[in-house]
Amino acid sequence: MPTAALIIIGNEILSGKFADENGPYLVPRLRQLGCDLGRIVVIPDEPDVIAREVRACSEAFTHVFTSGGVGPTHDDVTFPSVALAFGVPVVRHPTLEAILRSRLGDACNDAALRMAEIPEGADLWWDGLVRYPLIVMKNVAIFPGVPALFKLKFEAVAHRFAGEPVSTERVWTSLTEPEIADCLTEAAGRWPGVAIGSYPRFELTPPKVLVTLESRDLAALAAGAAFVRAGIADVD
Amino acid sequence: MPTAALIIIGNEILSGKFADENGPYLVPRLRQLGCDLGRIVVIPDEPDVIAREVRACSEAFTHVFTSGGVGPTHDDVTFPSVALAFGVPVVRHPTLEAILRSRLGDACNDAALRMAEIPEGADLWWDGLVRYPLIVMKNVAIFPGVPALFKLKFEAVAHRFAGEPVSTERVWTSLTEPEIADCLTEAAGRWPGVAIGSYPRFELTPPKVLVTLESRDLAALAAGAAFVRAGIADVD
């Protein structure tokens, strides 16, 4: 099954000037697509930090998505940082340069053309006949950080990341976590292909615990859920 | 100045069962305290992954905060993972054991006592006379993931992380990013102690760009902001 990591690049998120909206958008969307999100990281606009994170995620996950840092100003360093991650230079791509010149006319200065300077060997994805392609270096898809653009670009290429969706069973109990721990440990051991999570909801009165079971193996999921339900369920 | 990293541990965040609330709480709070947040990472309940992240963050930042994975069930693996990060065993702490036995009575089974099994050498912080101490291993403060508890625990010890707050100046312009890029690059070069960010707001009509300048050096901040304002500001 495909796995993914999301790298959110931007001092503005870490300093609280803007709340990240792309993580909250992507989490349920990848779930729906059946692509297993294994890591989200928010890092500053620093080439060394970005390059190290991109390189590590590229090796560990099927797909890597970056968000932010692709504009024309001095704080937009994602393209050179991804290039650094893979040990290649940035090169001005003639297709991107032509689009920018045609769109911006006389306003297409050197700063604007930095948006056309991408890692050598990167691919352009034109899915959905978008006006400007997505830039992808190996398994790293480089998205803009502006939420409306991130969403537009992601939806155009989302089909490329699809796997088989995971199914979930939920079991509620008014027992405490220490009381249900042995049952869950036994279930986790008997059905290793089923991921079991336990989430106390102290804010409910009386408190309850939500237990979730998740798997792509529907038979194992049903058997595990029946076992847990018989062991601990006492509320709906 | 103190720096910090936040490590959010939990499959439930990555799979979208729960939205993380602790990051959004901590970001403005650390800003207010004058502690520079340099990294937020969301990782699964996997000891090797957690240990690697904790070790790297412990070396790179003044303070590390973990969120989640400290309960009594099989998916709560933060204490042993932090122990693994520092190459020490977990040991049952007599003070924690006594608190749990007194609080839970006959319900204090082996599962509950896992909450007393912490990395060897960890400190207990009792700030604010809380009923249950915060467990801290070297510079890694281990917080519960439940948002109400995270907040309660964090506020009790927040004073330990305080530095000098950063000041911010905001400049709005209706010029485009390519048009302001040279001015910002020049300002960034002239006032290296001032962090300058540029954020296009395409959703506004007409579109505008928000430029922020941030520093602890108030004289440099004022000079840099005056320069940028003179160069690009044309709207309030």
Side-chain angles (χ1 to χ4, degrees):
Chain A
M1 279 303 132
T3 61
L6 170 62
I7 303 175
I8 297 164
I9 298 161
N11 296 342
E12 71 276 18
I13 308 293
L14 292 166
S15 64
K17 282 194 290 286
F18 293 95
D20 168 50
E21 298 178 34
N22 297 332
Y25 176 74
L26 204 59
V27 165
R29 193 64 184 90
L30 287 175
R31 182 80 172 169
Q32 205 175 28
L33 286 165
C35 181
D36 293 340
L37 182 61
R39 182 179 185 83
I40 303 171
V41 60
V42 187
I43 53 178
D45 306 322
E46 293 172 13
D48 288 350
V49 176
I50 300 169
R52 198 162 54 236
E53 191 69 41
V54 164
R55 193 167 44 236
C57 287
S58 174
E59 285 167 10
F61 297 92
T62 318
H63 307 293
V64 181
F65 311 121
T66 72
S67 161
V70 297
T73 53
H74 68 288
D75 56 338
D76 291 306
V77 297
T78 299
F79 289 139
S81 303
V82 172
L84 184 64
F86 293 109
V88 299
V90 293
V91 290
R92 189 175 288 182
H93 195 289
T95 307
L96 299 179
E97 178 176 357
I99 297 174
L100 289 168
R101 288 196 184 281
S102 131
R103 189 185 297 180
L104 298 176
D106 289 347
C108 191
N109 58 14
D110 282 348
L113 287 173
R114 286 187 63 223
M115 295 191 281
E117 291 168 359
I118 65 174
E120 187 175 61
D123 299 309
L124 306 187
W125 287 4
W126 290 95
D127 310 43
L129 302 177
V130 288
R131 296 190 311 162
Y132 200 85
L134 186 72
I135 287 100
V136 182
M137 180 64 187
K138 299 188 191 285
N139 63 339
V140 181
I142 300 168
F143 290 93
V146 172
L149 296 180
F150 182 96
K151 186 173 171 177
L152 189 77
K153 291 283 187 200
F154 184 82
E155 289 307 325
V157 298
H159 62 97
R160 293 175 178 255
F161 311 124
E164 185 192 336
V166 169
S167 294
T168 304
E169 292 273 354
R170 290 178 164 71
V171 181
W172 285 94
T173 180
S174 66
L175 297 173
T176 66
E177 282 201 303
E179 291 169 328
I180 67 174
D182 285 351
C183 171
L184 300 188
T185 300
E186 187 177 343
R190 284 175 65 169
W191 291 280
V194 178
I196 302 178
S198 172
Y199 308 104
R201 305 297 300 270
F202 299 118
E203 77 280 17
L204 301 177
T205 308
K208 292 179 188 166
V209 178
L210 169 62
V211 174
T212 62
L213 300 96
E214 299 173 288
S215 187
R216 292 185 167 93
D217 177 342
L218 296 183
L221 179 62
F227 177 86
V228 169
R229 210 163 260 132
I232 69 163
D234 63 353
V235 287
D236 286 328
Chain B
M1 279 302 132
T3 60
L6 170 62
I7 303 175
I8 297 165
I9 297 161
N11 296 340
E12 72 276 18
I13 308 292
L14 292 166
S15 63
K17 283 195 288 286
F18 292 94
D20 168 50
E21 299 178 33
N22 297 333
Y25 176 73
L26 204 58
V27 165
R29 193 65 183 90
L30 288 175
R31 182 79 172 169
Q32 205 174 29
L33 286 165
C35 181
D36 292 340
L37 182 61
R39 182 181 185 82
I40 303 171
V41 59
V42 187
I43 53 178
D45 306 320
E46 293 172 16
D48 287 350
V49 176
I50 300 169
R52 198 161 53 234
E53 190 70 39
V54 165
R55 193 166 44 236
C57 287
S58 173
E59 286 167 10
F61 296 92
T62 319
H63 307 292
V64 181
F65 311 121
T66 72
S67 161
V70 297
T73 53
H74 68 288
D75 56 337
D76 290 306
V77 297
T78 299
F79 288 140
S81 303
V82 172
L84 184 63
F86 293 109
V88 299
V90 293
V91 291
R92 189 175 289 183
H93 195 290
T95 308
L96 299 179
E97 179 175 357
I99 297 173
L100 289 169
R101 288 197 184 282
S102 132
R103 189 184 296 181
L104 298 175
D106 289 347
C108 190
N109 58 14
D110 283 347
L113 288 172
R114 286 187 63 222
M115 294 189 283
E117 291 168 359
I118 65 174
E120 187 174 61
D123 299 311
L124 306 187
W125 287 5
W126 291 95
D127 312 43
L129 302 176
V130 290
R131 296 191 309 162
Y132 200 84
L134 186 71
I135 287 98
V136 182
M137 181 64 186
K138 301 189 189 284
N139 62 341
V140 181
I142 300 168
F143 289 94
V146 173
L149 296 180
F150 182 95
K151 186 174 172 175
L152 189 76
K153 290 284 186 199
F154 184 81
E155 289 307 325
V157 298
H159 62 97
R160 294 176 179 253
F161 311 125
E164 184 192 337
V166 169
S167 294
T168 304
E169 293 274 353
R170 290 178 164 73
V171 181
W172 286 93
T173 179
S174 66
L175 298 173
T176 66
E177 281 201 304
E179 290 169 330
I180 68 174
D182 285 351
C183 170
L184 300 188
T185 300
E186 187 177 343
R190 284 176 67 170
W191 292 279
V194 178
I196 303 177
S198 172
Y199 308 105
R201 305 297 300 271
F202 300 118
E203 76 280 18
L204 301 177
T205 307
K208 292 178 189 166
V209 178
L210 169 62
V211 173
T212 63
L213 300 95
E214 300 172 289
S215 186
R216 292 184 166 95
D217 177 343
L218 296 183
L221 179 61
F227 178 86
V228 169
R229 210 164 261 133
I232 68 163
D234 63 352
V235 287
D236 286 329

